[in-house]
Amino acid sequence: MLLALAAVAALVVVFLALIVLTDGAGSGVGAWLAALCVGVVAALWRGRRRIRAARLVPFVPVVVAAALTASVCVPTTPTARRYPPALPFVATQHWSLDTGSRVAVYHYPPAKSAARHPVPLVYLNGGPVRGISLLDHRFLRLLARQGHDVYAYEQAGGGRSELLPMDQYTISRSVRDLGAVIRRLDKGKADVLGFSSGGAVLTRALADPGVAARMHRAIVAEPGPMDGPTARITGHKGRESARDLAPAMTGPRSTYVPRYAVAFGLMRLGLLTPDTGLIGQAEGVNAFTAADLGSDTASAYCARDAHRIPAEDSARNFSFSPAASLRIQETVRDSPSIAAQLRRSRTPAMLMIAECSSQVRQWATAVLADDPAVRRTQYMPGVGHHMWNGLDGNNDRAAAVITAFLRDRPAPVPNHPTRDEIPAFLRDHE
């Protein structure tokens, strides 16, 4: 019995090794056939000296292993892209940009009862390549009620935006798409709010003179790493998050299905490329669920909020492309420093940092150190990475900070940390 189990395990290992060596070509069928051939040859060798009936015994582990590994080769979700249904509270527009991207755009016009801010505000959500959550849509409507003319778009491949060929997902493409969206608005300069990986896109846009020239003001909120040297920084983080304290997310997980457990797991380990032949991009987006994010969602909240984390999205609206996200992150890690270009930035900017941020602190302080046009840093107490989370008036506080900067009013919270305070700020979070 133990020998049979060892044989099954050995064939599964051979299959996975072949998946890696072939990058999952042909949905893994080639690796499956090759592993099956290895198993048959091994079974024939083991049974060569047995009597006729006993010669079949070594084939039992081969049949079992073949059945187990075949499940990795068979799609269980549609292989053509299924887009989320239309939202009931805002129209979805589709813009074909001059970069070649076709993106989903949402417009929240300013409330008539509020003092209108004359400059449109463009929102860049996080991910990368994730749809805009219902929680974020709620915050955007709040900004509109305060007089902002809000435009939000889902970056190429995310949400209701159309997919790109995998090799076109780059951080540079994301920056060019931002510039194209502002041009398409045709309203002169725009203010831009970039959150998380959207903050990284915005930071790189500030270092690009062609795109920066179209921006009036920029708000970089909880940014991801802006370039390769920054991405390789490890260490300082914010106060304790809810990552290891919150109850496990409920709901279906694609990673409970062998095909997607293997594909996403090996991609995350860097053993399969984002453009793997094991699963197509569209199939991966269709399969991936909010529960697959696991503790990543909890890490965006303070430890004190571990048992009251709000539902950020619905299953019907949630959309995330793990392969395209990894691809963009790779292009960030492989990019050279943009510090020299960022030091020439002249676009007035504000940095927002959360108390319980799960982000590496230097990802944010590098922006402060290298961008001379950062006029304010707003350290937001009592919140995690997802600062506008609907808890305890956090949305109102974040909106007040954003509105004050965009309208050049006094900041509602102290300007902290300043550039001179960066070393002490980092020491406080050791």
Side-chain angles (χ1 to χ4, degrees), residues 206 217-220 345 347-351 371 373-376 405:
L206 291 169
R217 291 196 171 204
I219 300 171
V220 180
S345 175
T347 304
M350 179 176 74
L351 182 65
D371 186 350
V374 174
R375 296 184 177 182
R376 298 180 185 179
F405 175 69

Side-chain angles (χ1 to χ4, degrees), residues 303-359:
R304 67 180 73 94
D305 297 325
H307 295 280
R308 58 171 191 154
I309 293 175
E312 294 190 344
D313 215 345
S314 68
R316 285 167 59 82
N317 187 63
F318 178 82
S319 168
F320 180 69
S321 175
S325 181
L326 286 171
R327 166 69 181 157
I328 290 179
Q329 292 175 62
E330 286 177 357
T331 66
V332 173
R333 287 194 298 271
D334 293 341
S335 68
S337 171
I338 65 167
Q341 297 94 313
L342 191 58
R343 291 186 190 113
R344 294 193 288 270
S345 175
R346 297 295 178 267
T347 304
M350 179 176 74
L351 182 65
M352 297 177 71
I353 304 176
E355 178 186 2
C356 309
S357 177
S358 55
Q359 305 281 78

Side-chain angles (χ1 to χ4, degrees), residues 70 177 342 430:
D177 282 352
L342 191 58
E430 287 185 325

Side-chain angles (χ1 to χ4, degrees), residues 11 23 74 80 97 152 162 176 193 216 265 320 345 371 414:
L11 286 174
D23 198 26
V74 180
L97 306 179
E162 294 187 4
R176 293 197 301 273
L193 166 62
H216 177 253
F320 180 69
S345 175
D371 186 350

Side-chain angles (χ1 to χ4, degrees), residues 137-226:
H137 275 291
R138 195 173 304 133
F139 181 64
L140 298 178
R141 294 202 297 272
L142 171 61
L143 292 175
R145 289 196 298 273
Q146 296 189 353
H148 298 284
D149 190 15
V150 180
Y151 290 84
Y153 71 97
E154 288 169 319
Q155 296 168 55
R160 296 163 185 82
S161 293
E162 294 187 4
L163 307 178
L164 295 174
M166 190 57 67
D167 62 357
Q168 293 187 26
Y169 288 106
T170 65
I171 190 65
S172 298
R173 174 64 170 267
S174 299
V175 172
R176 293 197 301 273
D177 282 352
L178 171 59
V181 166
I182 297 174
R183 288 193 298 273
R184 176 66 185 265
L185 284 177
D186 197 23
K187 294 187 176 184
K189 292 187 176 184
D191 295 324
V192 183
L193 166 62
F195 166 65
S196 194
S197 63
V201 174
L202 178 53
T203 301
R204 294 182 70 96
L206 291 169
D208 183 319
V211 181
R214 298 185 175 276
M215 291 191 287
H216 177 253
R217 291 196 171 204
I219 300 171
V220 180
E222 280 287 289
M226 64 184 183

